[in-house]
Every structure is written in structure tokens, then in C-alpha cells.
Amino acid sequence: MPTPTPLLKWDQTGERLYETGNKKGVLYPFNTTSKAYDSGVAWNGLTAVTESPSGAEATDLWADDIKYLTLRSAEQFGGTIEAYMYPDEFGYCDGSAEISTGVVIGQQKRSTFGLSYVTTLGNDTEMNDYGYKIHLVYGCTVSPSQRSYSTINDSPEAITFSWEFTTIPVAVSGHKDTSIVTIDSTKVAAAKLAVLEQALYGVEGGDTYTEFTGETFVAHTVYYTRTGTEGAYVYTVTTDTTPQQGTTYYTNGKTLPYLPLPAEVVTLLS
């Protein structure tokens, strides 16, 4: 009798996957006045984000001389951020405050922030070009961290900053609250993913300005007022939060980067 051929196959060509790297870090400070995340800023020098979930600890219940069931505690999400440097805006998240230009004090209130970063997906045929994952983290706060400043010597090293962070999860309709959302580029259509990335990273405006005719401003869109004469117009970003009567506004397609909540992520990808 012939040996049956297994249905499952292992290590097929193109299916030997791995994940590596960390790039495109973005910081989204939380604004306590508007109760929303401010526009994102690029985090240059981000070297690593270590995700360290905790909780979900088992508690066994016994009855009738057998293990009756197992209860698990609530799961929490946190980790460690490592970087050679950080954006100025992160200073407020790290308990610093600028009391004068270039003068910073520590031991202040630590602000909440959101974070996004990208890891690379690879396989045995396309290597690092196979795809990537976008990680979105909400409700982060960091603890004070140690910094070691050493003299410059014949084996130079850049200081590596490190912060432990914890999170407060946000609501997800139909599911438990979460602090982490991950998007896989190999499973999401490129056109839909592009819409999400435009939200996360913003869009640089063009040279063509169009008159705004709406009644309310669209969130995260940049609006301008215009001065000067035809052929020499000067466009200035407005500080108005709502259209003012008698003022004409213009747009050039520029949008600010922001951190969408899980429900909006689903909408952007739908």
C-alpha cells in the first residue's frame, strides 16, 4: 500500500518568512485640550521598539478534585523605546519643559503620546522586498530613564537613549480595548494602504492653490489666505479653526500627519 502524501507542506518556496528592522518612526503627542493626538513629527534616530505585553496570568480554579477552569488576568501592553536621538516634542513626553529658548528643565509632568513605526517582512525569494508591517501604538507614557555620558575616546560611541513605556488602551467596537494595531502590507491592497499612509505621514502640498468653498474645514487639511496681486500672490497658512465671514481661503492638497484611532483605520482601509 503506497504511503499517503501529507496534506500539509513545510518550507515551500516563497513561504519562508521573517520579520526584521525598524524604520519610519513617527511621534504623535497627545493634546490634553483637544483630547486628540497632535500632528505627527518624524522620529529620526529611532533604533528599536521592544513590545513587551504583560498580564494574562493564569489562575486555576479547582472543583470535584479536578481543574475546573482557568481564569486569566487582564492583558497590558508596554515595552521599550531605544533611540540615538528624539524629536523636540518628545521632551514633554519625557518630563521636560522649555522655560526659555534653549533652556530645558526636567522632573515635569509626562505627556501622553502615540507612536507608529514600520518593520520589514521578508521571504526566501524577495528577501526584504516582500512587504512590511505598520505598527500603531496608542496611549503611551514613559518612565524616567538612565543616561550615561562618557568621555570621547579612541572607540567612539553615540549615546543610546532608552525608555520603558506603558499604555492605556483605546476602544475598539466589537472587541476589547487595545493599545496596538498592526497592518500587514501583504494582506492589504496597495491603494487602500496608500490612503492610510497619507494619514500617518501627511501629504506635501503642490504649487496649485484652489479656492475653498466649503462651510467647515476638513480636519488635518492645511488652509491658506492670500495677499498680493495676480502673478505675485503670497499664500500664508491661516490660524483660523473655522471659516470666517468675508475671508477667502485656499488649499493646495497639503495635509498634516495624524494618528487615526482603530475605527478610523478600518474606515481608511475599507
Side-chain angles (χ1 to χ4, degrees), residues 34-255:
S34 64
K35 306 299 181 184
Y37 290 100
D38 283 338
S39 297
V41 293
W43 190 322
N44 298 317
L46 183 67
T47 59
V49 178
T50 302
E51 300 180 358
S52 304
S54 61
E57 297 175 351
T59 299
D60 295 332
L61 301 183
W62 295 78
D64 299 322
D65 293 337
I66 61 171
K67 184 187 290 187
Y68 187 67
L69 56 84
T70 298
L71 300 178
R72 291 194 175 272
S73 61
E75 185 172 335
Q76 302 180 59
F77 184 82
T80 305
I81 300 171
E82 298 178 50
Y84 285 124
M85 192 46 66
Y86 49 86
D88 290 342
E89 291 81 355
F90 185 70
Y92 299 98
C93 306
D94 196 24
S96 298
E98 189 173 48
I99 57 175
S100 182
T101 303
V103 181
V104 177
I105 59 175
Q107 298 175 290
Q108 305 302 300
K109 180 181 177 181
R110 294 177 173 269
S111 301
T112 302
F113 63 94
L115 183 68
S116 74
Y117 52 95
V118 174
T119 55
T120 297
L121 287 176
N123 68 0
D124 55 307
T125 57
E126 299 177 71
M127 306 303 289
N128 289 353
D129 294 327
Y130 176 65
Y132 57 92
K133 287 183 179 180
I134 301 175
H135 305 257
L136 310 179
V137 188
Y138 303 88
C140 304
T141 55
V142 296
S143 303
S145 59
Q146 176 179 319
R147 300 181 182 182
S148 177
Y149 299 98
S150 302
T151 186
I152 297 177
N153 53 41
D154 58 355
S155 300
E157 293 182 359
I159 295 171
T160 300
F161 299 98
S162 178
W163 303 268
E164 291 186 2
F165 70 91
T166 58
T167 62
I168 296 177
V170 295
V172 183
S173 178
H175 300 273
K176 291 184 177 181
D177 295 354
T178 187
S179 299
I180 177 72
V181 173
T182 305
I183 301 94
D184 188 334
S185 74
T186 67
K187 299 179 181 179
V188 177
K192 296 179 180 181
L193 196 61
V195 174
L196 173 63
E197 291 177 325
Q198 288 174 8
L200 293 172
Y201 308 136
V203 177
E204 187 64 63
D207 296 327
T208 301
Y209 292 81
T210 304
E211 183 176 332
F212 171 69
T213 58
E215 297 182 356
T216 58
F217 286 157
V218 177
H220 314 297
T221 298
V222 178
Y223 294 91
Y224 303 82
T225 55
R226 187 175 74 180
T227 57
T229 57
E230 186 174 354
Y233 288 128
V234 175
Y235 294 88
T236 305
V237 177
T238 182
T239 57
D240 296 338
T241 56
T242 58
Q244 302 299 305
Q245 187 174 4
T247 301
T248 303
Y249 300 93
Y250 301 84
T251 61
N252 68 342
K254 182 176 183 178
T255 60

Side-chain angles (χ1 to χ4, degrees), residues 257-270:
Y258 71 98
L259 180 62
L261 294 175
E264 187 176 357
V265 171
V266 173
T267 300
L268 291 171
L269 295 178
S270 64

